[in-house]
Structure formats: structure tokens, C-alpha cells
Amino acid sequence: MATTFVPLSELSLFPATPDQVLESRRRHAPQWCRKLSIEEYLLRDQLMDGHEHASDNKFITWVLAPRANPTTLDFMCSCETFRRTAVVAHPSDPSGAKQVTAYAIASVFTPPEKRKKGYAQYMMRLLHWVVAPRSALPVFPDGWGSPTEVPEGLGLQSAQFSVLYSDVGKEFYQSCGPIAEPGGGWLASGAVETSWYADKAPSGTTTGPTSPHIWLSEDDAKHVWSLDVPFMRADISETAKSSGHTAFSFLPNKGVGAFVVQRTMSFTADDAPVLPLDTWGVLLLPSAVVGVDEVFADLDKQPTYATWTLDTSSESSRVLVTTRVRASRETLPGLLEVLVHFARKENIQKIEIWGLPETLQAAASESDWETSARTDHLSAFKWYGKEGENEVEWAFNEKYVLTFMASISQNLR
Ligand SMILES: CC(C)(COP(=O)(O)OP(=O)(O)OC[C@H]1O[C@@H](n2cnc3c(N)ncnc32)[C@H](O)[C@@H]1OP(=O)(O)O)[C@@H](O)C(=O)NCCC(=O)NCCS
């Protein structure tokens, strides 16, 4: 069905009404529901609206709609934003990492009959104007009509940076900056995975892993993420000092890491949500230490742990993707051994670790793990500070940051 082109100046970005939220989800459900029915897809999103990542208006669906009829269900396209706590450390600031606000963006969708009219690109350009402080942006472009009105009380225009994960290559989002001309948008960065494939690995021993460890439930994983925050803040300060670049990162607590776990939910026949695993992480135990809190008690003693989610969107394979990994060169082999043990036990065909630091990539390759550039879910960021994008560094660019999990990794062999 062809639709007529509406001039961009007659359109603006609006927070979706409840009916528009539902319409937006209905539109993208056939594309992204995979194993869920459309009804289950809608139910999952409705349930997750009540979770911590969305509380206090942190989650907003946006529509690009006519200024003359902002609540229409015939809007042009839509997307979602997640406001989150993040940290930034500057190399010249001895006071350490500072807490900031940042955004993650997801579910950019134009229905097929409205595509290729420039709507999605315009929506993404306007998005900078609602998430970033006015002071971080240039003059609002002539030809776009009056600037987008930003509703009060939603914590908007506060971002130090925003990120997204592109499944349409690097150029599309890179071209969507805050002005009408192409460029100045989200820069693809750090899309790297370190992987293990069951069919390529020796079948291993029947005995369990040698490193003492405790498995983590979802609640345990949430607790561990909170305990990891001071370590992450210290690491980010160190990264800024050693690299001479401003370092930034999201944090996995406050519902952020839990989002990618809950997103795996499916439903029983009577619509009760169920998760595909009971175990969502593992913590290695140095001997003589008994509990989780003791392992994180001393900032000078690095804990070793991994948390994960499961990508079940393929009929034929299950992929475990780590959400957070903390390990040293010395402890990584033991952690990988435990991960492989878990994968074999749970009939998982591939393990992906996103954003493993280079020194650890080398250690992983000694255990026959392969590091390669990701071809999908390309992480990309837009920085709203005074520094150039080459002067900043995204730390902990791992899967816990992800706002969206619909498609399975394409390079499962
Ligand atoms: C991607 C999408 C949002 C673009 O919406 P749109 O309103 O048609 O976008 P615009 O008209 O502003 O821009 C069109 C441009 O998008 C780019 N584009 C669209 N789909 C693309 C894809 N799969 N891969 C790479 N680039 C793509 C192209 O550069 C295209 O330009 P062209 O017409 O010269 O080929 C839309 O195609 C869509 O909803 N796709 C399905 C969902 C999806 O993949 N969303 C993105 C998730 S990261």
C-alpha cells in the first residue's frame, strides 16, 4: 500500500500515547517476535513495562507523527529510548568516575508501506534533540519547522551520550546527526565477539571444571552486578588515566542487566512467563572465601565472574551470550572452562563474549576461542560532550547494555 509523502517540517517527534505504544509494538511484532506469537510478544513487552529498567519514565516509545495530529495511529515510524545511569571518567580529573545520564535506543521501525521516504532518518536526527542537552547541540535546522517540544518530568535533554545496536550496517545511523546534512550520528565502535563453538571443540572430560565456583540465579546476578559497580568505576578511572581519553560506560545494575535476561521469557499455555534457564552466571571462588559478598570485599582483589543471557531465536541452536565478564589473564582460562562445562550441560552450541579486552582476547585464543568482528548488532555511540568522538572510549561495551534481542547472531556455523 503506497502512502503519500508528508514534508518533514510537518512532522515532529512525540512520546507515544498508550494506543500508539501498542500500535508500534503490533507493527514490529511480525518482524521481531520469532518464537513468540504476536500476542505473547505484546504480553512480554507489557509485563516488562513494569520492570525496573522502565520505572520512573525511564522507558519511552517515540513516534514521528504529523504536528497537526500527534496522537494518530497512522504515525510514520517509531523507536524506543531507555534512560540509564552511566559513568564517565576524564583523564585529567583526579576525583574519579562521575555519574551521568545516558540513553540506549532500540526498535527503530518504519512499516513497509512508509519506507524510503526519509522518515526513520529524520526521527533519528530529531532524537538527539530530545535526549541531549540543548547546549550540546548546534542550531536547530531551518526547514524542520519549530523545534521538538520536550515534555517536562521525563528526565529528557540530559544525556552525556547515547548508544544503539545496528542491524542495518554502520552507515545508516552514522549519517543521522542532529542537523539536516548527513553525518555526525552514531559511530560504530567495539563490535567484537570472542566465541566458542561446540562442534569445533574437543568433547572434553566428564569431570566438572576444576576452579571452585558458585552458580548464580537471576537474583544472585543482580546482586553481583551491584557489587561490581565500584570495581567498574575504578576500572573506568584507570582506563581514562592510562589511555589519556575520556572513558564512559553504562552500569549493569538497576534493571539494566536484568532486561536482557527477562527478554528471553516465553509463556506456558496459561500465559505464565517462563525463562529458559535457572542459572544466569557463575562466580569463581578463591579458596578460603565462602560467600559472594566476601569475594567483592576488597577493591584491590579482582573477582572473576561471568553473567549471561540466552539467544534462543533460532530453531536449531542455543547461543549463550555473556552479559558481563570480569576476569584477569590468570583467571580467564578457569572461567572459560566453567562456561564450556555449562554450555555442554545445557545443550548450547555457541558461546559469545562481547567486548572482551584485547589482553583477554589473547588469553582466550590460547584456550581455542576465536575473536572476530561482529557482523550484526553493531554497537554505536553518539557523544554529547565537548570531546571529539576519537577522544572518548566506550568501556564495558558488553551485552548487558543491549536494549533489544530479536535476531540470532548470523555467524553461527
Ligand atoms: C531500517 C528502517 C527503519 C528504515 O526506515 P525508513 O523510514 O525506510 O528509512 P529512511 O527512508 O529514512 O532511509 C532509507 C535508507 O535506510 C537504509 N536502510 C534501510 N534498510 C536497510 C538495511 N536493511 N541495511 C542497510 N541500510 C538500510 C538505506 O540507506 C535506505 O536508503 P536507500 O533507500 O537509498 O536504500 C526500515 O527499513 C525498517 O523498519 N526495517 C525493519 C526493522 C529494522 O531493521 N530496523 C532497524 C533495526 S537496527
Side-chain angles (χ1 to χ4, degrees):
M1 184 179 49
T3 46
T4 45
F5 174 73
V6 180
L8 299 184
S9 61
E10 292 180 18
L11 303 172
S12 194
L13 197 55
F14 299 94
T17 64
D19 286 347
Q20 287 174 323
V21 170
L22 192 56
E23 171 62 14
S24 167
R25 290 172 182 178
R26 280 207 181 106
R27 286 180 182 187
H28 49 69
Q31 172 113 15
W32 289 322
C33 65
R34 300 285 167 144
K35 283 179 166 177
L36 299 180
S37 68
I38 307 273
E39 291 69 33
E40 288 172 336
Y41 182 85
L42 297 175
L43 179 58
R44 180 193 61 184
D45 282 6
Q46 188 196 335
L47 287 176
M48 289 187 68
D49 285 346
H51 292 187
E52 192 181 2
H53 71 270
S55 62
D56 301 325
N57 295 316
K58 291 200 289 272
F59 171 71
I60 300 177
T61 300
W62 295 93
V63 294
L64 184 74
R67 291 172 188 271
N69 189 9
T71 59
T72 178
L73 294 186
D74 189 26
F75 53 85
M76 281 52 205
C77 52
S78 59
C79 67
E80 298 165 351
T81 58
F82 300 72
R83 176 167 44 84
R84 293 172 167 179
T85 304
V87 284
V88 169
H90 300 284
S92 54
D93 184 352
S95 61
K98 298 255 177 342
Q99 191 160 305
V100 296
T101 295
Y103 276 79
I105 299 158
S107 304
V108 176
F109 191 86
T110 306
E113 70 279 8
K114 290 184 163 59
R115 285 182 191 163
K116 297 196 169 215
K117 296 172 193 289
Y119 293 146
Q121 292 186 38
Y122 187 46
M123 174 175 72
M124 298 313 289
R125 293 196 163 103
L126 287 176
L127 211 48
H128 298 294
W129 293 87
V130 297
V131 301
R134 192 66 193 73
S135 58
L137 298 172
V139 176
F140 193 77
D142 279 345
W144 284 5
S146 55
T148 309
E149 278 177 37
V150 175
E152 302 264 317
L154 299 181
L156 294 161
Q157 294 188 316
S158 55
Q160 178 66 68
F161 62 92
S162 61
V163 308
L164 52 78
Y165 287 79
S166 176
D167 282 329
V168 291
K170 293 180 181 176
E171 284 79 26
F172 179 76
Y173 293 109
Q174 164 77 66
S175 78
C176 299
I179 54 170
E181 291 71 34
W186 289 267
L187 180 71
S189 168
V192 170
E193 69 175 54
T194 302
S195 311
W196 171 90
Y197 298 88
D199 62 358
K200 293 171 77 183
S203 54
T205 59
T206 47
T207 56
T210 46
S211 307
H213 57 275
I214 1 178
W215 300 110
L216 305 175
S217 67
E218 188 190 356
D219 281 344
D220 295 334
K222 287 184 195 167
H223 185 52
V224 161
W225 289 324
S226 295
L227 294 172
D228 195 20
V229 165
F231 289 82
M232 293 175 76
R233 295 178 73 110
D235 285 351
I236 287 164
S237 294
E238 194 47 48
T239 301
K241 268 188 223 141
S242 60
S243 68
H245 288 163
T246 295
F248 64 90
S249 176
F250 284 103
L251 296 172
N253 59 340
K254 300 187 181 167
V256 171
F259 176 88
V260 268
V261 170
Q262 285 293 324
R263 193 83 180 161
T264 62
M265 82 173 62
S266 59
F267 294 91
T268 61
D270 52 358
D271 283 344
V274 275
L275 298 182
L277 295 174
D278 296 325
T279 300
W280 296 96
V282 70
L283 174 71
L284 297 202
L285 294 177
S287 52
V289 172
V290 281
V292 174
D293 292 80
E294 287 94 326
V295 179
F296 285 84
D298 183 350
L299 265 183
D300 290 330
K301 292 196 185 124
Q302 288 283 334
T304 298
Y305 82 91
T307 53
W308 53 73
T309 185
L310 195 66
D311 190 337
T312 56
S313 49
S314 156
E315 289 300 327
S316 57
S317 55
R318 283 152 62 92
V319 179
L320 182 149
V321 191
T322 57
T323 45
R324 253 309 273 128
V325 166
R326 175 173 288 285
S328 65
R329 234 186 163 292
E330 292 68 38
T331 61
L332 186 72
L335 184 66
L336 298 182
E337 189 193 18
V338 182
L339 284 173
V340 167
H341 172 77
F342 182 77
R344 291 202 188 281
K345 187 164 74 69
E346 295 288 342
N347 189 28
I348 284 163
Q349 283 75 40
K350 183 185 177 193
I351 308 173
E352 293 176 14
I353 303 177
W354 288 17
L356 197 65
E358 277 178 27
T359 50
L360 296 186
Q361 290 172 14
S365 78
E366 288 162 20
S367 301
D368 292 331
W369 289 56
E370 299 170 17
T371 296
S372 58
R374 279 203 311 275
T375 51
D376 54 5
H377 313 321
L378 302 177
S379 40
F381 74 89
K382 170 68 182 170
W383 179 251
Y384 300 117
K386 61 183 183 331
E387 295 82 358
E389 57 194 18
N390 296 325
E391 297 168 318
V392 296
E393 196 166 322
W394 182 350
F396 305 112
N397 178 352
E398 297 177 69
K399 183 116 177 183
Y400 74 87
V401 179
L402 196 73
T403 39
F404 175 74
M405 285 179 49
S407 59
I408 192 159
S409 181
Q410 299 303 309
N411 55 353
L412 183 71
R413 287 173 271 172

